[in-house]
Amino acid sequence: MILFFACGRLGNQLFQYAVLKWLYPEHQLVLFGFDDLHRALELVDAIIIQKEKMPRGLMFSLRKLFAMLAMLRIIGSIAESRENGAYHLRQRRGVVPGLYCFKPSFFQHAKILEQLNPDFDIADGLVQSASRWLKAQGAVSAGRTQVFVHVRRGDYLSWPTCERPAVLGKQWYRNAMEEIRSIVADPLFIVLTDDICYAESCFGDQPDILISHNNKFVDLALMASCELGILSASSFAWWGAWLSRKRHDNKGIYLAPKYWAGHRWGEWRPEGFITHWITYIE
């Protein structure tokens, strides 16, 4: 049995679930706090203990309890390790056989990415909601190529540092859109963002752009439905592109910032988070 406490939002939870299913297919997964994952996917092959259904503070207490049991080696522990540029998982057995608690892990490294091929689908209700929204916007038109544009701001305005944040500037997105326009005859850009006011001020005056006012779950389904994509340095956008690529037989074009979240530093952040089917641009 593998115990894993969610760290991060939907994009991170998708990584955590996909990797755990791949690495430990014979183990029962018990996922604590994976509320977003539970809502986003059609079927989840794991026991999910939802945070929203637990008394306040209990999830934190359980995390502390299992961490202590792992430290005392009563139960086993597994953790990510990045030493001298090498990526691997460190596993320690405990007194209780076959029971492991994972330390906080994100699995965002090329060694993992190139082997991931999870068998999951977005919840059908979300797919239908995305389809209805596209029809209502008049976006279902013969000959038009739908391109998602993920604009993440929020915490990216100050992470990893205030001096060199991961947020992308307006001009980067404009350049990426021009790159797509040079490839595709009649693109329709669908902007998905956590800052609608910003997106409308930057892109709301362009006739080939739609801005989604949907929640993140429908936005994930919208990204999956598009044929091409422009990504922020976000795990959520990465999964939108992965699902889009899967749906369109691995033929899509996906643009993302060079060095990912480290584009202002000129070095990859997270280290090794490189995907061969993404085109990275400055």
Side-chain angles (χ1 to χ4, degrees):
M1 180 178 289
I2 303 291
L3 310 176
F4 196 105
F5 286 82
C7 36
R9 297 184 292 186
L10 178 54
N12 288 319
Q13 290 178 26
L14 287 165
F15 269 115
Q16 290 154 0
Y17 174 62
V19 173
L20 291 173
K21 288 299 298 178
W22 167 54
L23 290 177
Y24 305 99
E26 304 302 321
H27 285 70
Q28 173 68 65
L29 301 182
V30 181
L31 307 178
F32 294 85
F34 279 69
D35 301 43
D36 284 354
L37 183 85
H38 182 263
R39 184 172 173 184
L41 297 187
E42 185 66 24
L43 294 171
V44 177
D45 184 17
I47 297 171
I48 294 184
I49 311 299
Q50 296 183 62
K51 184 177 181 180
E52 63 183 22
K53 294 185 177 181
M54 299 186 71
R56 186 178 180 87
L58 181 56
M59 188 71 73
F60 177 79
S61 299
L62 287 174
R63 185 195 297 265
K64 288 290 187 182
L65 171 62
F66 287 122
M68 181 177 295
L69 292 175
M71 182 181 67
L72 296 173
R73 304 196 73 167
I74 296 172
I75 64 175
S77 65
I78 308 174
E80 282 185 305
S81 177
R82 296 170 183 260
E83 299 174 353
N84 301 319
Y87 178 94
H88 63 277
L89 296 174
R90 292 185 289 104
Q91 181 171 315
R92 296 195 319 171
R93 293 182 179 180
V95 174
V96 180
L99 180 59
Y100 295 90
C101 184
F102 244 100
K103 293 185 178 181
S105 302
F106 296 94
F107 308 115
Q108 295 178 10
H109 191 278
K111 184 176 180 179
I112 295 285
L113 302 181
E114 299 304 325
Q115 301 179 73
L116 272 186
N117 189 28
D119 183 23
F120 55 56
D121 295 300
I122 299 173
D124 187 59
L126 300 175
V127 174
Q128 293 181 22
S129 294
S131 179
R132 286 195 297 268
W133 184 83
L134 289 169
K135 289 179 181 178
Q137 305 303 313
V140 182
S141 176
R144 300 213 74 175
T145 301
Q146 295 177 5
V147 185
F148 77 77
V149 182
H150 186 258
V151 179
R152 178 165 175 177
R153 289 174 61 76
D155 59 331
Y156 272 28
L157 292 168
S158 58
W159 180 86
T161 70
C162 292
E163 293 74 23
R164 294 178 179 177
V167 69
L168 291 161
K170 174 176 66 176
Q171 193 57 48
W172 185 90
Y173 286 106
R174 289 185 178 273
N175 291 343
M177 289 179 189
E178 286 304 313
E179 180 73 16
I180 294 295
R181 290 186 181 106
S182 71
I183 300 169
V184 177
D186 190 18
L188 176 63
F189 297 99
I190 300 173
V191 175
L192 314 113
T193 182
D194 57 0
D195 191 337
I196 291 173
C197 291
Y198 174 83
E200 289 181 338
S201 68
C202 292
F203 312 114
D205 59 343
Q206 298 185 49
D208 60 351
I209 293 179
L210 295 175
I211 298 174
S212 170
H213 288 237
N214 296 285
N215 61 41
K216 60 187 174 185
F217 304 100
V218 176
D219 280 350
L220 181 65
L222 285 170
M223 286 192 286
S225 74
C226 290
E227 299 169 66
L228 312 176
I230 296 172
L231 291 68
S232 66
S234 159
S235 57
F236 180 64
W238 190 96
W239 278 107
W242 189 91
L243 290 162
S244 163
R245 187 169 178 264
K246 176 185 177 184
R247 178 170 178 174
H248 297 287
D249 300 322
N250 302 335
K251 296 177 181 177
I253 298 171
Y254 305 94
L255 306 181
K258 188 176 182 180
Y259 304 114
W260 201 242
H263 60 90
R264 295 178 189 265
W265 301 74
E267 59 185 46
W268 290 97
R269 293 194 176 204
E271 181 184 357
F273 190 63
I274 305 169
T275 307
H276 77 272
W277 46 264
I278 291 177
T279 299
Y280 296 97
I281 61 175
E282 297 194 59

